[in-house]
Amino acid sequence: MSFFLGIVLGIAFGLGLVIAFARSETSRSKRRRELAAAVAGFSKMSFQDSRKIFPAAFYPSWVIFSHRQKLKWLNHELIKIWPYANEAASEIIRTSIEPVLEQYKSAILSSFKFSKLNLGTVAPQFTGVTIIEDDGCGITMELELTWDGNPNIVLDIQTKLGVVLPVQVKDIGFTGVFRVIFKPLTEHFPCFGAVSYSLRDKKKLDFTLKVIGGEISTIPGISDAIEETIHDAIEDSISWPVRKVVPILPGDYSDLELRPVGTLEVKLVQARNLTNKDIIGKSDPFAVLYIRPIRARMKISKVISNDLNPIWNEHFEFVVEDVPTQNLVVKIYDDDGVRPPELIGCAQVRLKDLQPGKVEDIWLKLVKDLEVQRDKKDRGQVHLELLYCPYDMEDEIVNPFAHQLSVTSLEKALKSGKSRTKASHIHRTPTNRKRDVILRGVLSVTVISANNLPAMDMSGKSDPYVVLSMKKMSTINNKTRVVNESLNPIWDQTFDFVVEDGLHDMLILEVWDHDTFGKDYIGRCILTLTKVIMEKEYSDSFPLEGAKSGRLNLHFKWTPLPIYRA
């Protein structure tokens, strides 16, 4: 009996194994077919489709989508024609770069010229090409180029002291992206009217300087002066948005040349929680701002000594030439006196993200490097106010930083007859009026309420009040009443300030907790007046700096009082 039972169980177990294996193979085959169908579907997808399905957060940092195509055939042909291209390129560099070198030479240099210029026997290599979609009026290509050359470049440099130095430029390593634009398209061969070219992105430029027959390090500062001059010359002669236009067919192509399209008004307000770079004391921060990294176009703020939360409130104006590609860069340094300044952090704003005619109030997180976004260290934040004013919208946008605003306000008053008596004795030219009219007015601040203030008392409550002052009139303070035992106080009190210089003053609101034998600091808001001057009246909620939580709800009104200063 046991024998037959064992046979039955063995057969049943064997059949079970066969059935399980068959089901497993069927399921595995089905998964393989589904996977093959999915792979086939992915192979038909464009990279735009992939980026829509999977957000950037799902990809590791080494995954990069690229439009670039290889150019082995072009490199092969370039090697053949390089001996001839070398002579042409050398002549173009000499004629286009040498005048700019003279223009941007450092203060310690009196002359800067090429005595020898040959790009050597090693041809550059094109590593990829990208076609950029534009408005359909032309064709834009971006060519990525790498060159580790053996050029023979000698510069004849004369210093202010009369010393003439033959300086050899050696070991050049270059990687960059050149933009080539075929525009406009025409019906006549070769089907485009002109070619524009520019250095779109200079990823790497390394070279070594050597004085022939000596050491360049024996002359202090000469190496840095030469490098800065070469850098500025490249930036101002061929780096985007500068472009060289080569006409192919007869015609007027002035619209392809570089021209300003607007102005960017920048107010550097303050920074907070900066990294301390000093061993003794605190950092002495200052800011460098630029759109194009040329020394003549860089703006430098004043140095705030021994402060990790500096307040600058400085205004700078920049010329904008290409909104889609240009960025405003802010770099915060620690001033170390005679030693080179040390970078605390940097940040940038894409100009294409700014709305024309609207004041953008932004806080930017500082990072170590703008190209490598892997810095997790907290380096602090910088506070900016930005206003982009395109030239083609000047009639629609009111720019408070332009002199015309004050003149326009006065002219309106004169035309309406309200100021005819007071202003009838004034006889100045428009130039003088632009120079002498200032922005003066009355700022009305209504402290409405606060929300979610931190508890400062043992009872879990606070007795908050607000102290208001203008930065240029710090001795004149106004304060609200005290609201007892509340973390969401309501004041609804209005205060008026006569402001002498609205564009360069600041409103400071400090929130305190009232105690019987003193007071405890809760937090503050530091506000410029740019927005209220432009909009005349607005309400907003502002976070408290220096507090774990809490916001102030405020209402502002500006009443301009244009006057003439003697």
Side-chain angles (χ1 to χ4, degrees):
M1 186 67 181
S2 299
F3 175 74
F4 290 105
L5 181 61
I7 292 175
V8 172
L9 292 176
I11 293 173
F13 182 73
L15 290 174
L17 286 177
V18 172
I19 294 172
F21 179 75
R23 290 176 62 88
S24 175
E25 286 298 308
T26 302
S27 176
R28 186 179 179 185
S29 177
K30 182 179 179 181
R31 288 198 301 271
R32 285 181 174 178
R33 289 195 301 271
E34 292 175 349
L35 180 60
V39 171
F42 274 112
S43 66
K44 298 178 182 178
M45 291 172 55
S46 65
F47 79 95
Q48 292 95 340
D49 297 330
S50 300
R51 297 180 72 175
K52 290 178 182 178
I53 296 175
F54 301 107
F58 287 89
Y59 294 102
S61 59
W62 48 266
V63 174
I64 300 174
F65 292 99
S66 177
H67 287 284
R68 299 194 181 278
Q69 302 176 19
K70 301 299 181 181
L71 291 171
K72 293 182 179 180
W73 63 272
L74 182 57
N75 292 328
H76 183 71
E77 297 301 323
L78 183 59
I79 292 173
K80 292 182 180 180
I81 66 172
W82 180 244
Y84 310 99
N86 175 18
E87 295 182 9
S90 299
E91 185 60 29
I92 291 175
I93 293 174
R94 182 188 294 271
T95 56
S96 61
I97 299 295
E98 192 172 84
V100 186
L101 288 173
E102 282 290 325
Q103 177 184 350
Y104 284 103
K105 63 180 181 289
S106 179
I108 66 174
L109 305 177
S110 62
S111 179
F112 206 118
K113 297 182 181 298
F114 290 105
S115 64
K116 293 183 181 179
L117 179 56
N118 186 284
L119 299 182
T121 59
V122 179
Q125 297 290 299
F126 290 101
T127 57
V129 60
T130 303
I131 305 298
I132 306 299
E133 297 182 2
D134 55 14
D135 55 6
C137 298
I139 299 174
T140 302
M141 298 170 51
E142 289 193 345
L143 299 164
E144 184 172 310
L145 181 143
T146 300
W147 184 46
D148 293 311
N150 59 344
N152 183 17
I153 302 176
V154 179
L155 299 169
D156 276 345
I157 296 174
Q158 184 174 354
T159 67
K160 294 289 187 181
L161 300 176
V163 180
V164 179
L165 301 173
V167 178
Q168 186 177 13
V169 183
K170 302 174 57 179
D171 305 328
I172 294 180
F174 173 79
T175 300
V177 178
F178 280 89
R179 173 171 285 188
V180 183
I181 303 174
F182 303 90
K183 188 177 182 179
L185 300 180
T186 68
E187 298 178 353
H188 305 285
F189 186 82
C191 301
F192 52 87
V195 178
S196 307
Y197 63 91
S198 175
L199 178 58
R200 175 67 180 85
D201 184 13
K202 183 174 84 274
K203 296 183 178 181
K204 185 189 79 169
L205 177 59
D206 298 326
F207 54 86
T208 303
L209 300 175
K210 185 181 186 303
V211 175
I212 297 176
E215 288 292 333
I216 198 168
S217 58
T218 59
I219 305 177
I222 192 70
S223 178
D224 291 340
I226 296 173
E227 290 183 5
E228 289 175 354
T229 302
I230 293 174
H231 170 80
D232 286 351
I234 294 174
E235 287 293 335
D236 197 35
S237 62
I238 196 173
S239 293
W240 187 265
V242 178
R243 76 275 326 241
K244 300 295 183 181
V245 180
V246 180
I248 303 298
L249 298 176
D252 180 15
Y253 304 109
S254 58
D255 59 320
L256 300 178
E257 297 175 353
L258 175 67
R259 61 181 59 189
V261 296
T263 58
L264 179 67
E265 308 289 348
V266 179
K267 181 170 283 190
L268 175 66
V269 183
Q270 60 176 323
R272 65 186 179 195
N273 303 327
L274 297 180
T275 302
N276 191 6
K277 294 293 184 177
D278 293 347
I279 299 176
I280 301 176
K282 299 177 182 179
S283 298
D284 307 312
F286 69 95
V288 177
L289 303 91
Y290 61 86
I291 292 180
R292 292 178 61 191
I294 302 173
R295 283 174 295 168
R297 296 198 176 192
M298 291 182 175
K299 311 295 185 182
I300 302 176
S301 74
K302 60 178 180 274
V303 177
I304 306 296
S305 300
N306 200 38
D307 197 343
L308 300 181
N309 298 281
I311 299 176
W312 290 287
N313 193 33
E314 294 188 58
H315 167 249
F316 305 103
E317 183 176 281
F318 296 90
V319 175
V320 178
E321 293 150 325
D322 190 68
V323 174
T325 61
Q326 288 189 310
N327 303 322
L328 172 69
V329 177
V330 184
K331 293 186 176 182
I332 309 296
Y333 291 91
D334 173 33
D335 181 47
D336 289 332
V338 296
R339 294 184 301 170
E342 187 175 359
L343 179 67
I344 296 176
C346 53
Q348 67 179 358
V349 180
R350 297 185 300 181
L351 300 190
K352 65 181 182 181
D353 294 337
L354 302 179
Q355 182 177 342
K358 180 180 179 182
V359 176
E360 304 280 352
D361 189 284
I362 58 175
W363 283 90
L364 299 174
K365 180 182 178 182
L366 298 175
V367 297
K368 183 179 181 180
D369 193 318
L370 295 175
E371 301 297 330
V372 182
Q373 301 292 337
R374 296 181 181 177
D375 187 19
K376 302 298 182 182
K377 183 178 179 181
D378 186 10
R379 300 177 180 273
Q381 295 177 298
V382 62
H383 182 195
L384 301 175
E385 270 190 356
L386 307 174
L387 173 62
Y388 171 53
C389 301
Y391 291 148
D392 59 359
M393 297 178 64
E394 286 182 333
D395 296 336
E396 306 172 25
I397 295 176
V398 177
N399 182 358
F401 297 100
H403 296 295
Q404 288 84 350
L405 175 67
S406 299
V407 175
T408 303
S409 301
L410 182 61
E411 286 174 348
K412 288 181 178 179
L414 290 171
K415 288 179 181 179
S416 64
K418 295 179 180 179
S419 303
R420 189 169 301 163
T421 303
K422 295 182 180 180
S424 59
H425 64 283
I426 300 174
H427 300 284
R428 289 192 173 98
T429 64
T431 302
N432 289 333
R433 294 169 76 182
K434 287 185 178 181
R435 182 176 63 249
D436 294 332
V437 174
I438 63 173
L439 276 179
R440 182 175 183 268
V442 176
L443 175 67
S444 300
V445 184
T446 302
V447 184
I448 302 172
S449 62
N451 304 115
N452 197 27
L453 295 179
M456 306 298 291
D457 297 337
M458 297 293 292
S459 62
K461 298 288 186 178
S462 295
D463 306 313
Y465 66 96
V466 182
V467 177
L468 302 89
S469 64
M470 302 301 298
K471 192 173 188 297
K472 292 190 174 184
M473 298 182 292
S474 56
T475 57
I476 302 176
N477 294 334
N478 292 301
K479 67 178 183 178
T480 66
R481 64 179 180 274
V482 177
V483 178
N484 295 319
E485 297 186 354
S486 177
L487 301 182
N488 299 282
I490 298 176
W491 293 286
D492 201 18
Q493 291 181 257
T494 301
F495 305 92
D496 293 334
F497 296 90
V498 177
V499 182
E500 296 292 339
D501 188 2
L503 292 176
H504 301 96
D505 210 342
M506 305 178 77
L507 174 66
I508 302 175
L509 302 99
E510 295 179 328
V511 182
W512 296 84
D513 171 45
H514 176 74
D515 291 328
T516 305
F517 299 103
K519 58 183 179 180
D520 296 321
Y521 177 74
I522 296 178
R524 70 177 182 180
C525 294
I526 300 177
L527 307 173
T528 66
L529 310 186
T530 310
K531 186 174 181 178
V532 68
I533 289 174
M534 286 193 66
E535 300 185 7
K536 304 304 180 187
E537 188 172 0
Y538 78 99
S539 300
D540 207 343
S541 178
F542 301 91
L544 287 178
E545 298 177 25
K548 295 180 179 179
S549 62
R551 300 183 72 90
L552 271 181
N553 302 312
L554 307 171
H555 178 81
F556 301 96
K557 183 178 180 180
W558 174 260
T559 304
L561 299 173
I563 63 169
Y564 280 99
R565 178 180 290 167

